[in-house]
Amino acid sequence: MIARLNSPDYDRWAAQIHRTSGCRQPIHLRGKVDHFDRATGRLLHRYTTRTEPDGVLRLPCKTRRASRCPACAEVYRADTYHLIRAGLTGGKGVPETVTTHPTLFITLTAPSFGPVHARREQRSKVQPCHPRRDAATCPHGRVMSCTTKHSPDDPRLGEPLCPHCYDYTGSVLFNALAPLLWKRFADSLRRHLAKLGGLVLKELRHHLTVSFAKVAEYQRRGVVHFHAVIRLDGPGGPTAPPPTWATADILTQAVEHAARVVSALAPAYDGQPARLFKWGTQLDIRPITLTGDLTEQAVAGYIAKYATKAAECVGTLDRRINPLDNLDAFNLREHARRLITTCMHLGTLTELAELRLAEWAHMLGFRGHFSTRSRRYSTTLGALRAAREQHIHEHQIITGRLPLFDEDTVLVISEWEYAGKGHSVGDQLLAAAITGARLERSPHEL
Ligand SMILES: [Zn+2]
Ligand SMILES: [Zn+2]
Ligand SMILES: [Zn+2]
């Protein structure tokens, strides 16, 4: 730390750190950018990292995982928020008339894989977890009842009443099939909407577009469920109104139908029969309005929040697990550990190979995207990023980092190589002081 503070290029280093906006694990690049005059071949300008502190340029890691880098995840969260919100109220290229299109916020849940400790609230009063007067005793000698009123930070939340009875296999197979189940749900929704509108599926797109944005959330018990905004647009997207028959009621009917009928099959293995998975019976459907109890800000905030979270809340790891890793060394919660070992075991079976369970054990079997949108939903993250990078580019021209040349007459040749990432401990403290970033580390880094 002292060496950094006393080094002659400290200011330059501090400027680099400022540009990474508090990134906890910046990427280091070594390389150069040459600008040549296209007509004469003359070298007009050269930028090289050789003159930068430690000979590298530091760039933000751009992760979306808050557990890895809070600063970059915050950028992703804010972008996601604006993107979801634009799809609900207009803006960023989406017309404001989109507010008149039928729009629902739905939650598709996972089925039960056995009773777990849960915090239940009724009219903001905490209820007992699993009260059963004549509760049965399971084959492992546990009474299947729990009358505790759990506090929100109770570590038992999400843990099964009996881990030996709990269906760990079902839980990880459901996570592995959840992306397929979602796809089938979306297909069935379109098919049913076409039917309700008296159309064949092929004709639907000439009348109607179903736009959606969805996010996956891990429940404490370690299964994913999905929250989604579903909106009906006219043909081609949000610029045209949907046909008059396509109301919020019709959309609700179609969602209820699709959520009930779709299924996905896990193949048979090792003497176990093939197994059919469906959504859980809890289905939540709510209209989004500008004034009602579910506003567009609330929905956008909710989706953006889960877009930066993975399975950390279950107590698993936020990185891939190697088959040779000693799981004891990671200080995992027992429930997470059982889910991970189930993935690792099922992942060795050829019948289940296509589910790639071992590779996704740290995600408890789920290998889908956390946050996805249909093409017509709103603007894209790419467009938001491009707008920001354009701004940075202009800033760099003004501050003298890039020469102001006409792009057509200049040939730009760049060479970059990866030169590592992260900070030394001393640099990390200084960087946090400079950018005001919090020095939080995930338990697995310590
Ligand atoms: Zn970062
Ligand atoms: Zn309980
Ligand atoms: Zn039991």
Side-chain angles (χ1 to χ4, degrees):
M1 209 166 128
I2 290 167
R4 177 69 75 197
L5 279 167
N6 286 329
S7 82
D9 58 7
Y10 173 78
D11 287 346
R12 189 80 183 156
W13 178 82
Q16 275 197 14
I17 296 306
H18 260 295
R19 274 201 303 276
T20 63
S21 313
C23 176
R24 190 162 73 180
Q25 45 176 15
I27 307 296
H28 301 181
L29 292 178
R30 195 174 290 132
K32 61 175 183 172
V33 183
D34 289 339
H35 291 74
F36 293 99
D37 186 321
R38 272 187 195 278
T40 65
R42 189 167 63 92
L43 179 67
L44 300 169
H45 182 271
R46 166 169 288 173
Y47 166 76
T48 162
T49 55
R50 211 171 300 152
T51 56
E52 296 283 3
D54 310 319
V56 295
L57 184 66
R58 292 168 177 85
L59 296 172
C61 70
K62 292 191 177 174
T63 182
R64 55 164 193 79
R65 298 278 193 87
S67 57
R68 288 186 192 160
C69 176
C72 291
E74 176 53 26
V75 173
Y76 183 87
R77 193 201 59 77
D79 281 356
T80 304
Y81 176 86
H82 289 299
L83 187 147
I84 300 294
R85 188 138 190 253
L88 298 172
T89 62
K92 319 242 176 235
V94 181
E96 268 173 42
T97 48
V98 82
T99 54
T100 63
H101 297 192
T103 308
L104 301 178
F105 183 59
I106 70 158
T107 301
L108 290 164
T109 60
S112 170
F113 298 104
V116 297
H117 293 285
R119 180 181 162 86
R120 297 180 208 286
E121 279 183 54
Q122 233 170 43
R123 284 180 231 97
S124 60
K125 260 193 83 184
V126 187
Q127 304 293 312
C129 165
H130 253 284
R132 299 283 184 279
R133 196 163 302 142
D134 304 307
T137 305
C138 83
H140 314 96
R142 302 209 185 198
V143 182
M144 286 291 126
S145 171
C146 171
T147 51
T148 312
K149 293 177 181 175
H150 293 288
S151 70
D153 54 359
D154 191 326
R156 281 176 296 172
L157 288 177
E159 306 250 338
L161 264 53
C162 175
H164 308 289
C165 287
Y166 194 75
D167 182 7
Y168 283 94
T169 303
S171 176
V172 303
L173 287 177
F174 176 84
N175 280 351
L177 292 169
L180 179 61
L181 210 47
W182 168 268
K183 191 192 167 294
R184 291 192 173 157
F185 166 79
D187 290 346
S188 167
L189 182 67
R190 283 192 193 90
R191 224 175 300 124
H192 203 63
L193 277 170
K195 197 175 155 202
L196 291 171
L199 301 163
V200 294
L201 183 59
K202 259 201 330 238
E203 298 168 336
L204 186 69
R205 68 188 175 89
H206 302 299
H207 299 256
L208 175 78
T209 308
V210 184
S211 297
F212 69 87
K214 82 167 201 300
V215 71
E217 181 200 349
Y218 276 87
Q219 294 183 296
R220 293 284 272 265
R221 59 186 169 131
V223 279
V224 282
H225 65 194
F226 291 115
H227 303 287
V229 172
I230 304 182
R231 190 186 67 212
L232 296 182
D233 296 333
T239 45
T244 47
W245 61 264
T247 60
D249 279 347
I250 289 285
L251 179 57
T252 305
Q253 275 183 45
V255 166
E256 280 170 349
H257 174 86
R260 208 173 48 236
V261 300
V262 295
S263 61
L265 192 70
Y269 66 90
D270 218 6
Q272 300 292 319
R275 197 168 157 183
L276 201 64
F277 286 90
K278 302 185 77 160
W279 297 113
T281 46
Q282 277 183 8
L283 168 68
D284 190 44
I285 306 176
R286 287 191 280 172
I288 303 170
T289 59
L290 295 176
T291 48
D293 60 352
L294 188 63
T295 63
E296 86 290 344
Q297 280 121 315
V299 169
Y302 202 62
I303 290 197
K305 176 177 139 204
Y306 287 113
T308 60
K309 284 197 165 39
E312 305 85 274
C313 74
V314 191
T316 177
L317 300 171
D318 77 345
R319 62 165 185 82
R320 290 245 157 108
I321 296 165
N322 184 311
L324 298 175
D325 278 341
N326 174 9
L327 289 181
D328 291 333
F330 294 124
N331 194 18
L332 294 166
R333 266 176 61 195
E334 181 56 26
H335 184 56
R337 184 200 166 82
R338 282 175 185 262
L339 288 165
I340 289 170
T341 32
T342 305
C343 287
M344 300 302 273
H345 166 65
L346 295 178
T348 60
L349 305 170
T350 43
E351 296 92 327
L352 300 177
E354 66 178 46
L355 300 180
R356 290 153 66 206
L357 283 161
E359 213 177 313
W360 294 94
H362 64 302
M363 302 298 279
L364 315 177
F366 177 64
R367 62 185 190 293
H369 290 288
F370 269 82
S371 154
T372 54
R373 286 155 298 275
S374 63
R375 198 159 49 92
R376 309 267 192 209
Y377 176 75
S378 158
T379 181
T380 62
L381 280 175
L384 286 178
R385 270 189 214 124
R388 191 166 51 236
E389 266 150 30
Q390 179 63 26
H391 172 79
I392 293 171
H393 181 77
E394 280 160 14
H395 177 77
Q396 285 174 337
I397 291 171
I398 296 161
T399 55
R401 283 236 11 245
L402 279 176
L404 188 57
F405 294 128
D406 182 351
E407 307 257 335
D408 289 343
T409 62
V410 176
L411 178 67
V412 182
I413 297 178
S414 31
E415 279 173 33
W416 293 105
E417 64 173 316
Y418 177 79
K421 75 170 178 178
H423 287 302
S424 69
V425 177
D427 278 359
Q428 193 174 13
L429 289 168
L430 280 177
I434 289 172
T435 58
R438 281 178 305 156
L439 260 187
E440 252 175 40
R441 284 182 164 206
S442 74
H444 317 297
E445 284 177 84
L446 294 172

